[in-house]
């Protein structure tokens, strides 16, 4: 009798228990970083990466009413500037990122619960909160945590859409686009999701209206895209032949550049002129992007990643094909975000520390939760 009560209490309060364990875990890692070999020691209350200085200096320029050089990171620079304006040090950014991760985890749970069941939501929540390669970026003055959380918030407000959410959704979309160059991928993702949703829901009139609207906004969209392309110089980066950025041992550097302009037309010409090399390297880049292993990682590190991948991708594949809400615009957006981010990496390069794949890993967690729920339902049905 007592055992049943304990089990009942655990089941009833499982979400609360998961969050208690999470906050103990995250703050133990944060305050006890010097005791763990797998965490860089946090001396000043935050960690910095190669791009952190760019964001901090950019935020100072904003406060001095100057325009930063790297405009494609304006959103995160404004985010840092907000804390600086309030005379709060960079440690408070770490706290805010942990808090945003907490809020986005609630969204992950609610999304997966709606698309599957409470059990699926609990699994996706647990995966999200305890996937260490993702959580470690809470401690860094880098764009990753804010960008990932913003994508999750957008998906949440689309899936649970109400008219009163529209201003929040518009703000989130604009902010996410401005956080980092990858944000521009949100524009085609949203457009394609809307078109596919209209098509699947048999709305031909609305479909054509939307098509003409997209044609109307095509020029301003490409103009924004050209700003991002000029900022990131993607063509030159591809021409260096990197499969993994900065790792020269598996380079394919026979690319030909005929036009040195960094705009969309030049990029398309560059792809046409180097189509064989691009296709050949495409699948290698996608492999490193999705598998997240690296030749320079230790065997234990790669083994940890691969074991995790086998579990997550196996469940996610079931969820991808078995999900019941394929014609919902929020679900369509999840599919398209995964495809577009993967294609973009295949056409450019996989990053050094697997950061880029973290942007879609939570989306696989959602599908993994759906897959887990389907397996649970199958087992229940067999016992009936």
């Amino acid at each position: 009798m007592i055992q049943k009560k304990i089990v009942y209490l655990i089941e009833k309060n499982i979400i609360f228990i998961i969050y208690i364990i999470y906050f103990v875990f995250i703050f133990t890692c944060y305050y006890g970083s010097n005791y763990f070999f797998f965490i860089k020691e946090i001396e000043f209350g935050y960690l910095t990466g190669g791009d952190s200085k760019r964001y901090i200096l950019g935020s100072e320029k904003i406060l001095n009413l100057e325009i930063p050089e790297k405009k494609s990171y304006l959103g995160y620079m404004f985010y840092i500037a907000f804390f600086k304006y309030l005379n709060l040090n960079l440690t408070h950014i770490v706290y805010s990122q942990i808090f945003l991760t907490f809020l986005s985890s609630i969204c992950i749970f609610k999304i997966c619960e709606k698309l599957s069941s409470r059990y699926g939501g609990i699994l996706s929540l647990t995966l999200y909160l305890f996937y260490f390669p993702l959580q470690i970026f809470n401690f860094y003055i880098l764009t990753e945590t804010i960008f990932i959380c913003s994508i999750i918030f957008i998906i949440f407000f689309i899936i649970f859409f109400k008219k009163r959410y529209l201003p929040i959704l518009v703000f989130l979309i604009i902010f996410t686009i401005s956080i980092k160059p990858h944000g521009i991928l949100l524009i085609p993702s949203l457009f394609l999701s809307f078109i596919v949703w209209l098509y699947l829901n048999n709305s031909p009139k609305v479909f054509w209206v939307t098509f003409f609207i997209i044609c109307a906004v095509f020029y301003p969209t490409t103009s924004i895209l050209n700003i991002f392309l000029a900022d990131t110089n993607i063509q030159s980066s591809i021409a260096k032949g990197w499969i993994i950025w900065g790792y020269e041992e598996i380079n394919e550097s026979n690319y030909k550049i005929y036009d040195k302009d960094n705009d969309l037309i030049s990029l398309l010409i560059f792809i046409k002129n180097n189509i064989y090399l691009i296709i050949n390297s495409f699948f290698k880049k996608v492999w490193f992007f999705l598998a997240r292993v690296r030749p320079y990682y230790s065997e234990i590190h790669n083994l940890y990643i691969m074991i995790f991948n086998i579990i997550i991708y196996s469940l996610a594949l079931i969820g991808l094909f078995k999900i019941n809400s394929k014609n919902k615009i929020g679900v369509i957006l999840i599919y398209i975000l995964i495809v577009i981010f993967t294609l973009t990496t295949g056409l450019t390069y996989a990053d050094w520390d697997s950061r880029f794949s973290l942007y879609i890993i939570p989306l696989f967690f959602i599908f993994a939760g759906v897959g887990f729920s389907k397996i649970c339902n199958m087992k229940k049905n067999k016992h009936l």
Side-chain angles (χ1 to χ4, degrees):
M1 190 70 178
I2 296 172
Q3 189 177 357
K4 285 184 178 180
K5 283 185 177 180
I6 293 171
V7 171
Y8 171 75
L9 284 171
I10 291 172
E11 286 182 355
K12 188 178 178 181
N13 299 287
I14 187 67
I15 305 298
F16 183 66
I17 294 167
I18 288 170
Y19 278 122
I20 289 174
I21 296 169
Y22 169 70
F23 282 115
V24 170
F25 160 71
I26 202 74
F27 284 111
T28 300
C29 290
Y30 180 64
Y31 289 109
S33 61
N34 54 322
Y35 296 106
F36 300 105
F37 72 91
F38 50 84
I39 306 174
K40 188 177 175 183
E41 188 173 348
I42 304 171
E43 291 185 58
F44 306 106
Y46 58 89
L47 294 172
T48 57
D51 297 328
S52 299
K53 188 176 180 181
R54 173 197 299 167
Y55 309 140
I56 295 166
L57 292 175
S59 69
E60 290 170 358
K61 282 195 171 186
I62 289 169
L63 291 173
N64 293 325
L65 302 180
E66 299 175 21
I67 300 174
E69 292 177 10
K70 293 286 186 178
K71 300 178 186 65
S72 52
Y73 298 93
L74 271 175
Y76 194 62
M77 291 173 183
F78 270 107
Y79 185 77
I80 297 173
F82 172 76
F83 286 88
K84 284 180 170 287
Y85 178 75
L86 297 175
N87 292 319
L88 298 172
N89 60 35
L90 296 177
T91 303
H92 290 85
I93 293 174
V94 172
Y95 296 149
S96 72
Q97 289 179 165
I98 293 171
F99 178 68
L100 286 173
T101 297
F102 163 68
L103 290 181
S104 62
S105 72
I106 296 172
C107 294
I108 285 270
F109 171 74
K110 291 290 184 183
I111 290 167
C112 194
E113 185 183 42
K114 183 178 177 66
L115 298 177
S116 58
S117 66
R118 178 176 168 81
Y119 294 112
I122 290 169
L123 178 71
S124 61
L125 171 69
T126 306
L127 291 172
Y128 181 65
L129 289 178
F130 296 99
Y131 188 55
F132 191 74
L134 191 150
Q135 293 299 326
I136 190 66
F137 281 101
N138 285 322
F139 307 148
Y140 280 86
I141 308 301
L142 291 171
T143 57
E144 272 59 42
T145 295
I146 302 297
F147 188 67
I148 292 164
C149 291
S150 297
I151 289 173
I152 294 166
F153 292 145
I154 288 169
I155 294 168
F156 174 83
F157 283 112
I158 288 175
I159 287 177
F160 294 91
F161 183 76
K162 292 178 182 177
K163 286 184 180 178
R164 67 174 181 268
Y165 294 158
L166 191 58
I168 301 171
L169 193 54
V170 171
F171 168 77
L172 281 170
I173 290 168
I174 294 169
F175 178 65
T176 306
I177 290 167
S178 68
I179 292 173
K180 63 184 298 139
H182 284 84
I184 198 70
L185 299 177
L186 196 59
I187 295 176
S189 298
L190 288 166
F191 280 154
L192 283 171
S193 301
F194 193 51
I195 291 172
V196 172
W197 175 71
L198 290 171
Y199 178 78
L200 291 176
N201 287 276
N202 299 315
S203 305
K205 288 183 180 178
V206 185
F207 173 83
W208 285 111
V209 169
T210 307
F211 177 76
F212 287 118
I213 291 172
I214 290 170
C215 290
V217 300
F218 178 77
Y219 178 74
T221 302
T222 52
S223 298
I224 295 169
L225 181 58
N226 284 334
I227 292 171
F228 281 86
L229 289 173
D231 223 12
T232 53
N233 199 4
I234 288 176
Q235 191 178 154
S236 296
S237 297
I238 298 171
K240 289 176 181 176
W242 287 329
I243 302 298
I244 301 172
W245 187 89
Y247 187 67
E248 298 183 356
E249 291 185 29
I250 51 174
N251 272 13
E252 292 183 0
S253 53
N254 297 317
Y255 290 91
K256 298 175 183 177
I257 299 180
Y258 292 97
D259 192 339
K260 293 183 179 179
D261 291 335
N262 290 308
D263 56 24
L264 182 59
I265 300 298
S266 299
L267 181 61
L268 292 173
I269 293 169
F270 172 79
I271 291 171
K272 179 182 76 70
N273 292 333
N274 297 278
I275 191 67
Y276 174 76
L277 273 174
I278 287 171
I279 292 172
N280 189 41
S281 62
F282 176 87
F283 294 102
K284 295 178 185 176
K285 295 171 185 176
V286 168
W287 157 253
F288 283 113
F289 174 70
L290 293 176
R292 307 194 74 253
V293 294
R294 293 294 183 266
Y296 38 82
Y297 285 174
S298 68
E299 288 183 6
I300 294 174
H301 191 171
N302 279 329
L303 181 63
Y304 159 75
I305 292 170
M306 287 307 298
I307 291 170
F308 199 91
N309 286 345
I310 290 166
I311 297 167
I312 297 310
Y313 286 136
S314 298
L315 290 171
L317 277 172
I318 296 169
L320 277 162
F321 291 107
K322 294 288 185 180
I323 193 167
N324 296 325
S325 308
K326 289 189 179 75
N327 62 339
K328 302 288 185 184
I329 189 167
V331 177
I332 295 166
L333 178 59
I334 296 174
Y335 280 112
I336 288 177
L337 282 170
I338 290 172
V339 171
I340 286 186
F341 273 89
T342 304
L343 285 175
T344 303
T345 299
L347 293 171
T348 54
Y349 48 80
D351 59 312
W352 177 266
D353 55 2
S354 308
R355 279 190 292 168
F356 294 171
S357 57
L358 290 176
Y359 308 151
I360 60 170
I361 281 290
L363 309 185
F364 283 114
F365 292 164
I366 292 170
F367 283 124
V370 174
F372 177 72
S373 179
K374 293 292 180 185
I375 292 170
C376 290
N377 288 337
M378 286 169 62
K379 287 186 176 180
K380 281 183 182 178
N381 292 334
K382 281 183 180 180
H383 290 297
L384 292 176

